[in-house]
C-alpha cells in the first residue's frame, strides 16, 4: 500500500501495439494487487486488469510530443504501452509499479492475502486433492520391484526432493545415501514413472560428481539395482539431456556424466537441450519477433528462425520421445539427468509421462503430473519465474516450454487430450500470478517452512471448479495405455500464437470452433439431464420410485470426483485478473462493477458494416494504407 | 497414334508397392490408356489403387542389372511415381524390361497434349448421363439474380463468336450506356482483348469489382477514348474509383516498353491507382516447387526448415494475395467505391484477388453452391488458362512453360479465411483439397482447356461430365459441408499478420499420419454436431444451403447473428 504514490491518473492513453490510430483514452488505477486501466466511451466500459506479479518489466521511454510513454511488459506476454500527459504522473506510476511488481519478501505475494470462499476444511481438501503417494499407487507401487521409501522424510538425504521417494526394493540404505552423496545437491536416482505393462521405469537424478575420473561404488550399485528392477531388459539407458560440450565442461568442475566403463550395462546418450540462459535469451528474441510492427512474412519467418525457440522446443520433444520409446518399445528403464536435474530433467520426464500414459492427458492427470515432476521434485518456481526480486539470471521459461510441448502435441493429436489450449494458458498465468500457493517456493521443504498449506489456497480446486471451460470437446477417452507417437519433423513445430500473442486478439481466428463445440456439448449435457429428470418424474408419478424430498441429483458427469465441491460461478474476464476478494475490494474502485469487458471488447471483425461507421476500425490488420498511389508524369 | 500403342507391357505380377506410412504391398500392376491400377492379390477384400495417369507429375526409374540379360534372375527395377496431388509412391517391378516399358508408358500417357484424348472424354459413370445439366452459374444467371445490376448494367454478347476477346466468355456484363462498338475499341486497347468487365456487384451499396488486363499505352502513351468512357461509365457520377494494379509501380512503368502500361491520372481523372506487387508465372511455380521440396525434407533441423519455408516465399504470396483482397474489400465496403483490378494479362493474380474479395464480401459466395459458382464464373469462364497452368505441378522435371499455381494459391487463401472464420463458410476443407486435386487431374471436364472458346471447340460440355454438378449430388455433398456453418451476412475480414497465417498442412502434409489425426478430429466434430441436431429435432432446419440469395436478410436476423458472433 505504502508503495502507491498515486492511486489514480486520468486521461491516460493506451496505445495500440500495432496501429497508432486505434488507441484508447482512459483512467489508470493502481491497487494493492492490480494495475487497472478503464476505458470509458459513451456506452461501453472496458477494463484491463493486470496483476502486479504479472509485470515483468516497466520502462520509461523517451518523451514525445504527445506525452510521456511508459511500456509495461508482462510475464504473460501482455504489453501495455501507456501515454501520460504529465511527466510527474508517469514518474509516479513508474516508481510505484516498479516496486509493486518486485516484491522483496515472500509474504508480499498475492497468495498470502487472497482468500476465496473456502472454509478450512475446503482448504485442507484442496491441498490434499493431489498427492504424490496416490500417483505412485496408481502406477502400482509398492510392488515386487519398487517401493515407496520414507528415507527422505526430514529432507536429510536431499533437501530439494520430496519426502517420499520411489526406490528399487533391493536398494539398501547405504546404497541410497552413498549414491546421493555422489550426485550434485544430493539429488539421487529416484522413480519418476513406472510403466506397469513393460515393468520399465523412468528415474531422474542430477549429474554425478564424477569429475575427471572419480567413481562411487554405491552410485554404481544404485544404477545396477535400477537395472535389475526391470526383468524385461538387461540394460538401462542413461540420458544426459545436456549438449555433450556442456557436460564435458562440467567435468572440470568435479561434476560431469557417467563413464560407461564404470557402470555395468548402461547405454549412455546425450540429448542436447540447451541450458536456462540460452532458453531465456531465445524467448527474448521470440518476443521481439512477436512485437514487430507490421513485419513482412519473411521478416517474421527469419526472426522466428533466428530466435531458435522452436529448435529448443523440438529438442525437448525429441528427448521426451526418446524416453517414451525406450520404455514402451524397448522395455528398457531410463535414468535421466541434466545438471541439477530440476529443469531439463523435469521437462523431459513429464513429457515422456504424457506420451506413455493417457492418464496424464486428462485435466486431473496434468495436475498430478505437474505436482509430481515439477513441484515435488523441486523445480525452482520462485527463481525461474522471478516471483521475488532476485537474480535475473535464475529466471528462465523452462515450465513455459513444457506447456508448449504439450500444446504442440495437442495440435498433432486433437482428440487425445481432455483439456484444451485455455487450460494450458490458464496454468501458465497462474504460475506467475502467485494467487495460489502451489508455485511459491523452490522445493517441498521450503514450502513446508512457509506453511503455505495453512496460509494460502491450492490452485487445483479453482481449476476443477472451472473445468467446463477447459474441456476439449473432441476428446476421445482411452483406458489402454497407448504410446503417443508424435512426428518430430521440424514442420510440425508451429509458433504458438495463442500464448505469445495471446493479448493480440486481432491475430487470432475471429470465430472459435472450441466455443462452438463447447456450447453444443454443454447443451447436450443439459439436454440429457432434463431427459433423465423427466424420466424420474414419470417414474415417481408411476409410483416406481419413492418421492425424493431433496432436489433430484443430476447424473454425475463421468470422472468428476469432486461433484460436491461448490461450483460458485467465477467471474473471470481473462486469466490474469481474478476478482479481488472482499477484503481488499475497497481499493479496487472501478472493480465494483467489473467485467463488462465482453461488450467493450474489440469488436468482432464482422461487425463492421452493420454499424457502417467509417471511423470504427474493425481489425487492425485491415488498415491498408492507400498512400502508395504514385503518378507518372 | 492410338493410345494403346504406348503400352508395351500392360500387366506385371509380383510388384511391390510402397507408400509413405503404410506397409509395403505385393500385387499386380496394370497400365491402361488412362490409369495405373495396382491390386493386391488377396481374394477377399482385395485392395486396389487406381491412379489417373494424368495425375502423375514425374517418374524416376532405377534399374539394376543394366548390362545383364533381360529377365535374368534378380533383375528388377524401381519406379518412383510423384503425383500432382503430392503423393509419392514406389513400385518395385521384377524384370528390367517390364520396368522400363511401364515407365515409358507412364511418361507418354501422362503427358497427353490433345484434350479430346484425355480421360474426361472417356469417363462414363453408370449413374450419370451426358445430357444432364452442365455447370452451376454463368454471366446471364448472375445478372438475373443480381437485381441491383438491372438498372445500369447490361449483358453484352459482343464476344459471342469470341472474336473480340478469345479468352472471355460469350457474354459479359458491362455498363448499360456503353455500346458494343465501344467495347470492341476498348478491347483493342487491352492486352489479349480483355477489356474491363464486371466481376461482382456489392449487394449492400451497388459498388462493383471490375477486372481486365493492362491497357496498351506503350512507350508513347497511347490513349483510347472508348476505354476511358467505359471506365467513366463504371463509376457513373460518383467521384472516385480505385484501380488496383497488381504490379509494382516500377513494373508497370517497365511494361510500357513492351507495349503495355497503366491508366494515367490525366486520362482517367476519376480513378485513383494503387500498386501492389504480386508474383506470377514462373516465380510462383518455383515457389510451390521449393515449398513442396521443403515439406519433404527429411532433415531434423528446425532452422533449416524455417529457412526453406521462408525461402520458398509461398506464405509471402498468400500474405500479399490476402492483403490486396482486403484492400479491395476496404475500397468497396468501407469507402464505398468501385474497383478495377488488373495485372498484366488479367488471367491470374487478377482472378485470385477479385474472387477472394468476393468471398470476403458476399455471403452467398460462401455457400457450397455459391463458391463453386464463383469459381465457374471468375475462373473457368473468365478464361484462366487451366490447361497451361496446371500441366505440371511441384515435382515435374520438365522445363517450365506456362505452369503457375494461381488456383492453388487461391485455394490456400480460402483455407486461411476458413481457418480464421471456421463457422462462416458452408464448405469444408475437404472441398478445397478435392479441388486442388481435380484441377490437375480429373475424371471430369470442368477444368479442361484454357477458355470457353476452346471448350466449345472440343465439345467439352457434350462429351464430359461436370465436376461441380457431381460435387453437389446429395450422396457426396455432405463430406464437403462444414458441420459448424452458421451463415452470416457480414463481411469476413481475415487478419494478415504473419502470425495469423499458417502453412496449409491439410494440403502439404496430406499424405502423412498427421492427416489421419485431423480426419479423426473432423469425424468427432461431425458426430457432436449430429448428436446436437438429432436432439434439436427434425423440425429445426439446419443450414440448408441458401443458393444465391442476394436479397438482404431482414435486419432483426442480422442482429441475432451479431450476438452469436
Amino acid at each position: 500500500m505504502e508503495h502507491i504514490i498515486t492511486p489514480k491518473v486520468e486521461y491516460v492513453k493506451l496505445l495500440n501495439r500495432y496501429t497508432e490510430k486505434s488507441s484508447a483514452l482512459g483512467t489508470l488505477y493502481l491497487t494493492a494487487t492490480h494495475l487497472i486501466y478503464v476505458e470509458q466511451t459513451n456506452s461501453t466500459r472496458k477494463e484491463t486488469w493486470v496483476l502486479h506479479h504479472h509485470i515483468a518489466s516497466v520502462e520509461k521511454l523517451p518523451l514525445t510530443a504527445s506525452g510521456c510513454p511508459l511500456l509495461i511488459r508482462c510475464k504473460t506476454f501482455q504489453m501495455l504501452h501507456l501515454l501520460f500527459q504529465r511527466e510527474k504522473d508517469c514518474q509516479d506510476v513508474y516508481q510505484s509499479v516498479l516496486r509493486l511488481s518486485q516484491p522483496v519478501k515472500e509474504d508480499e505475494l498475492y497468495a498470502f492475502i487472497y482468500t476465496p470462499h473456502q472454509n478450512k476444511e475446503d482448504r485442507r481438501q484442496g491441498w490434499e486433492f493431489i498427492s504424490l503417494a496416490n500417483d505412485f499407487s496408481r502406477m502400482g507401487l509398492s510392488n515386487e520391484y519398487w517401493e515407496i521409501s520414507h528415507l527422505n522424510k526430514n529432507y536429510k538425504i536431499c533437501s530439494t526432493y520430496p519426502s517420499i521417494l520411489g526406490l528399487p526394493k533391493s536398494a539398501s540404505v547405504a546404497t541410497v545415501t552413498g549414491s546421493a552423496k555422489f550426485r550434485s545437491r544430493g539429488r539421487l536416482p529416484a522413480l519418476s514413472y513406472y510403466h506397469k505393462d513393460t515393468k520399465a521405469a523412468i528415474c531422474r537424478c542430477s549429474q554425478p560428481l564424477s569429475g575427471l575420473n572419480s567413481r562411487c561404488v554405491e552410485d554404481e550399485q544404485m544404477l545396477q539395482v535400477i537395472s535389475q528392477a526391470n526383468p524385461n531388459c538387461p540394460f538401462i539407458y542413461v540420458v544426459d539431456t545436456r549438449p555433450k560440450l556442456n557436460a564435458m565442461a562440467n567435468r572440470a568442475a568435479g561434476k560431469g556424466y557417467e563413464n560407461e566403463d564404470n557402470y555395468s550395462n548402461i547405454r549412455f546418450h546425450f540429448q542436447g537441450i540447451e541450458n536456462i540462459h540460452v532458453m531465456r535469451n531465445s524467448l527474448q528474441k521470440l518476443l521481439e519477433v512477436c512485437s514487430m510492427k507490421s513485419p513482412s512474412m519473411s521478416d517474421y519467418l527469419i526472426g522466428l528462425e533466428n530466435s531458435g525457440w522452436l529448435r529448443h522446443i523440438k529438442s525437448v520433444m525429441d528427448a521426451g520421445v526418446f524416453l517414451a520409446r525406450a520404455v514402451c518399445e524397448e522395455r528398457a528403464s531410463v535414468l535421466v539427468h541434466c545438471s541439477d536435474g530440476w529443469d531439463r530433467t523435469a521437462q523431459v520426464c513429464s513429457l515422456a509421462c504424457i506420451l506413455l500414459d493417457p492418464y496424464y492427458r486428462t485435466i486431473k492427470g496434468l495436475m498430478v503430473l505437474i505436482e509430481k515432476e515439477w513441484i515435488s521434485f523441486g523445480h525452482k518456481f520462485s527463481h525461474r519465474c522471478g516471483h521475488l526480486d532476485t537474480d535475473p539470471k535464475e529466471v528462465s521459461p523452462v515450465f513455459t516450454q513444457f506447456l508448449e510441448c504439450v500444446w504442440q502435441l495437442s495440435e498433432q493429436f486433437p482428440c487425445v487430450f481432455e483439456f484444451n489450449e485455455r487450460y494450458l494458458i490458464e496454468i501458465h498465468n497462474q504460475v506467475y500470478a502467485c494467487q495460489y500457493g502451489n508455485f511459491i517456493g523452490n522445493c517441498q521443504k521450503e514450502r513446508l517452512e512457509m506453511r503455505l498449506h495453512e496460509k494460502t489456497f491450492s490452485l487445483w480446486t479453482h481449476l476443477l471448479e472451472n473445468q467446463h471451460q477447459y474441456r476439449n470437446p473432441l476428446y476421445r477417452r482411452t483406458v489402454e495405455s497407448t504410446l503417443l507417437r508424435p512426428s518430430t519433423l521440424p514442420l510440425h513445430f508451429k509458433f504458438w500464437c495463442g500464448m505469445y500473442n495471446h493479448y493480440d486478439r486481432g491475430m487470432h481466428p475471429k470465430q472459435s470452433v472450441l466455443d462452438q463445440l463447447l456450447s453444443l456439448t454443454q447443451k447436450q449435457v443439459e439436454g440429457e439431464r432434463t431427459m433423465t429428470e423427466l424420466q424420474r418424474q414419470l417414474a415417481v408419478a408411476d409410483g416406481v420410485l419413492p418421492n425424493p424430498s431433496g432436489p433430484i441429483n443430476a447424473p454425475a458427469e463421468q470422472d468428476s470426483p469432486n461433484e460436491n465441491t461448490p461450483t460458485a460461478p467465477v467471474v473471470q474476464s481473462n486469466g490474469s485478473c481474478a476478482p479481488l476478494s472482499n477484503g481488499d475490494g475497497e481499493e479496487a474502485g472501478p472493480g465494483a462493477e467489473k467485467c463488462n469487458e465482453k461488450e467493450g471488447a474489440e469488436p468482432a471483425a464482422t461487425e463492421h458494416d452493420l454499424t457502417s461507421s467509417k471511423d470504427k476500425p474493425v481489425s487492425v490488420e485491415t488498415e491498408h494504407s492507400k498512400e502508395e498511389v504514385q503518378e507518372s508524369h | 497414334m492410338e493410345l494403346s500403342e504406348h503400352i508395351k507391357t500392360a500387366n506385371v505380377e509380383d510388384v511391390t508397392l510402397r507408400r509413405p506410412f503404410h506397409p509395403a504391398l505385393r500385387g499386380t500392376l496394370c497400365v491402361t490408356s488412362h490409369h495405373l491400377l495396382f491390386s493386391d492379390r488377396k481374394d477377399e477384400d482385395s485392395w486396389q489403387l487406381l491412379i489417373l495417369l494424368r495425375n502423375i507429375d514425374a517418374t524416376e526409374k532405377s534399374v539394376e542389372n543394366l548390362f545383364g540379360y533381360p529377365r535374368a534372375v534378380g533383375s528388377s527395377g524401381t519406379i518412383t511415381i510423384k503425383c500432382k496431388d503430392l503423393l509419392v509412391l514406389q513400385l518395385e517391378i521384377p524384370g528390367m524390361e517390364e520396368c522400363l516399358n511401364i515407365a515409358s508408358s507412364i511418361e507418354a500417357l501422362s503427358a497427353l497434349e490433345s484434350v479430346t484424348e484425355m480421360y474426361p472424354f472417356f469417363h462414363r459413370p453408370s449413374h450419370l448421363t451426358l445430357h444432364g445439366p452442365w455447370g452451376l452459374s454463368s454471366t446471364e444467371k448472375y445478372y438475373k439474380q443480381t437485381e441491383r445490376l438491372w438498372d445500369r448494367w447490361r449483358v453484352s454478347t459482343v464476344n459471342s463468336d469470341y472474336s473480340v476477346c478469345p479468352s472471355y466468355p460469350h457474354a459479359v456484363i458491362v455498363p448499360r450506356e456503353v455500346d458494343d462498338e465501344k467495347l470492341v475499341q476498348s478491347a483493342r486497347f487491352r492486352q489479349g482483348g480483355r477489356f474491363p468487365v464486371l466481376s461482382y456487384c456489392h449487394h449492400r451499396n451497388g459498388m462493383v469489382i471490375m477486372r481486365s488486363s493492362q491497357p496498351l499505352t506503350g512507350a508513347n502513351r497511347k490513349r483510347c477514348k472508348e476505354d476511358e468512357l467505359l471506365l467513366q461509365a463504371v463509376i457513373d457520377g460518383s467521384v472516385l474509383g480505385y484501380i488496383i494494379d497488381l504490379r509494382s509501380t516500377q513494373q508497370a512503368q517497365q511494361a510500357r516498353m513492351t507495349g503495355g502500361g497503366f491508366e494515367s491520372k490525366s486520362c482517367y481523372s476519376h480513378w485513383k491507382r494503387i500498386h501492389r506487387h504480386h508474383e506470377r508465372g514462373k516465380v510462383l511455380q518455383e515457389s510451390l516447387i521449393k515449398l513442396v521440396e521443403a515439406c519433404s525434407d527429411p532433415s531434423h533441423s528446425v532452422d533449416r526448415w524455417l529457412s526453406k519455408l521462408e525461402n520458398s516465399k509461398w506464405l509471402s504470396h498468400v500474405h500479399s494475395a490476402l492483403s490486396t483482397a482486403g484492400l479491395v474489400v476496404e475500397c468497396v465496403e468501407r469507402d464505398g467505391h468501385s474497383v478495377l483490378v488488373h495485372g498484366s494479362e488479367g488471367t491470374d493474380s487478377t482472378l485470385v484477388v477479385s474472387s477472394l474479395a468476393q468471398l470476403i464480401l458476399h455471403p452467398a459466395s460462401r455457400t457450397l453452391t455459391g463458391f463453386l459458382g464463383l469459381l465457374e464464373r471468375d475462373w473457368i469462364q473468365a478464361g484462366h488458362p487451366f490447361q497451361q497452368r496446371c500441366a505440371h505441378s511441384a515435382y515435374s522435371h520438365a522445363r517450365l512453360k506456362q505452369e503457375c499455381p494461381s488456383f492453388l494459391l487461391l485455394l490456400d487463401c480460402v483455407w486461411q479465411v476458413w481457418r480464421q472464420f471456421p463457422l462462416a463458410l458452408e464448405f469444408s476443407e475437404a472441398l478445397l483439397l478435392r479441388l486442388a486435386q481435380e484441377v490437375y487431374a480429373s475424371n471430369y471436364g470442368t477444368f479442361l482447356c484454357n477458355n470457353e472458346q476452346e471448350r466449345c471447340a472440343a465439345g467439352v460440355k457434350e462429351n464430359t461430365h461436370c465436376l461441380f454438378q457431381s460435387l453437389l449430388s446429395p450422396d457426396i455433398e455432405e463430406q464437403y459441408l462444414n458441420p459448424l456453418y452458421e451463415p452470416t451476412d457480414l463481411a469476413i475480414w481475415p487478419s494478415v499478420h504473419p502470425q495469423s497465417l499458417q502453412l496449409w498442412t491439410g494440403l502439404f502434409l496430406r499424405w502423412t499420419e498427421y492427416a489421419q489425426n485431423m480426419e479423426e478430429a473432423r469425424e468427432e466434430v461431425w458426430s457432436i454436431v449430429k448428436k446436437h441436431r438429432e436432439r434439436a429435432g427434425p423440425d429445426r432446419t439446419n443450414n440448408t444451403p441458401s443458393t444465391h440469395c442476394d436479397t438482404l436478410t431482414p435486419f432483426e436476423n442480422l442482429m441475432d447473428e451479431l450476438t452469436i458472433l
Side-chain angles (χ1 to χ4, degrees), chain A residues 173-412:
Chain A
V173 177
T175 308
V176 171
T177 47
S179 169
K181 281 185 188 129
F182 189 62
R183 294 277 164 182
S184 179
R185 297 173 200 272
R187 294 175 66 92
L188 68 148
L191 184 75
S192 154
Y193 180 70
Y194 177 73
H195 194 245
K196 262 191 252 179
D197 299 349
T198 60
K199 297 196 169 67
I202 297 177
C203 297
R204 52 183 291 177
C205 60
S206 61
Q207 62 185 338
L209 305 175
S210 50
L212 294 174
N213 51 7
S214 301
R215 292 183 62 165
C216 168
V217 182
E218 289 89 350
D219 194 62
E220 287 160 25
Q221 274 171 358
M222 186 71 191
L223 266 64
Q224 183 75 20
V225 290
I226 290 175
S227 181
Q228 283 160 358
N230 177 4
N232 288 326
C233 184
F235 64 90
I236 62 168
Y237 281 111
V238 176
V239 173
D240 188 330
T241 56
R242 299 168 293 183
K244 190 171 180 185
L245 264 178
N246 301 19
M248 285 175 45
N250 265 299
R251 286 176 62 188
K255 298 165 189 172
Y257 54 93
E258 291 80 357
N259 184 343
E260 264 180 303
D261 301 335
N262 298 343
Y263 294 83
S264 50
N265 302 322
I266 68 163
R267 295 192 185 176
F268 190 84
H269 272 270
F270 286 111
Q271 282 294 339
I273 304 175
E274 298 288 352
N275 64 25
I276 56 167
H277 311 294
V278 175
M279 301 306 191
R280 181 178 56 242
N281 294 335
S282 172
L283 179 65
Q284 185 59 40
K285 284 188 196 155
L286 181 79
L287 294 178
E288 280 163 24
V289 175
C290 293
S291 57
M292 280 197 283
K293 275 191 178 177
S294 55
S296 73
M297 187 51 91
S298 291
D299 293 341
Y300 163 72
L301 289 173
I302 291 171
L304 195 58
E305 181 194 340
N306 289 341
S307 77
W309 183 254
L310 289 176
R311 172 164 39 108
H312 299 312
I313 296 293
K314 180 173 145 58
S315 68
V316 175
M317 187 78 92
D318 279 334
V321 169
F322 178 88
L323 255 58
R325 297 185 76 144
V327 166
C328 189
E329 287 170 358
E330 293 185 67
R331 307 160 82 86
S333 292
V334 188
L335 177 68
V336 191
H337 67 75
C338 44
S339 299
D340 288 316
W342 50 41
D343 294 311
R344 289 167 270 204
T345 302
Q347 289 178 327
V348 170
C349 288
S350 46
L351 205 55
C353 284
I354 283 183
L355 295 173
L356 283 165
D357 193 336
Y359 175 69
Y360 296 122
R361 300 171 211 151
T362 63
I363 290 181
K364 188 180 171 188
L366 189 70
M367 298 176 186
V368 172
L369 187 66
I370 293 172
E371 191 76 35
K372 172 165 73 94
E373 299 296 332
W374 294 84
I375 298 176
S376 301
F377 270 102
H379 173 69
K380 305 199 290 174
F381 277 107
S382 271
H383 286 167
R384 296 293 178 257
C385 304
H387 288 336
L388 299 175
D389 184 18
T390 46
D391 186 3
K393 287 227 161 65
E394 282 283 321
V395 176
S396 187
V398 176
F399 187 71
T400 310
Q401 287 183 318
F402 162 67
L403 291 178
E404 175 164 344
C405 286
V406 178
W407 177 81
Q408 299 280 2
L409 285 175
S410 74
E411 285 288 291
Q412 273 196 51

Side-chain angles (χ1 to χ4, degrees), chain A residues 298 476 510 609 626 629, chain B residues 273 310 333 335 420 524:
Chain A
S298 291
R476 286 183 181 174
K510 305 298 187 308
D609 39 82
K626 293 203 194 95
V629 187
Chain B
R273 225 173 54 246
E310 190 277 317
E333 163 99 4
D335 300 350
Q420 295 189 28
E524 203 59 47

Side-chain angles (χ1 to χ4, degrees), chain B residues 131-145:
Chain B
H131 308 292
W134 222 97
L136 302 172
S137 185
S138 65
T139 310
E140 290 94 335
K141 269 190 195 161
Y142 179 71
Y143 184 80
K144 217 183 250 170
Q145 284 156 353

Side-chain angles (χ1 to χ4, degrees), chain B residues 440-461:
Chain B
Y440 282 99
S442 177
N443 292 344
Y444 299 90
T446 300
F447 291 116
L448 288 180
C449 303
N450 294 309
N451 52 51
E452 197 175 290
Q453 186 181 18
E454 283 182 29
R455 273 187 288 272
C456 276
V460 167
K461 258 185 202 178

Side-chain angles (χ1 to χ4, degrees), chain A residues 51 54 425-426 429-430 433 435 462 470 502-503 572-578:
Chain A
L51 199 63
H54 273 164
I425 292 173
E426 174 66 9
N429 284 344
Q430 291 292 354
Q435 185 179 353
H462 166 73
Y470 306 128
H502 183 76
Y503 293 90
Q572 213 162 358
S573 59
N574 65 38
S576 61
C577 46

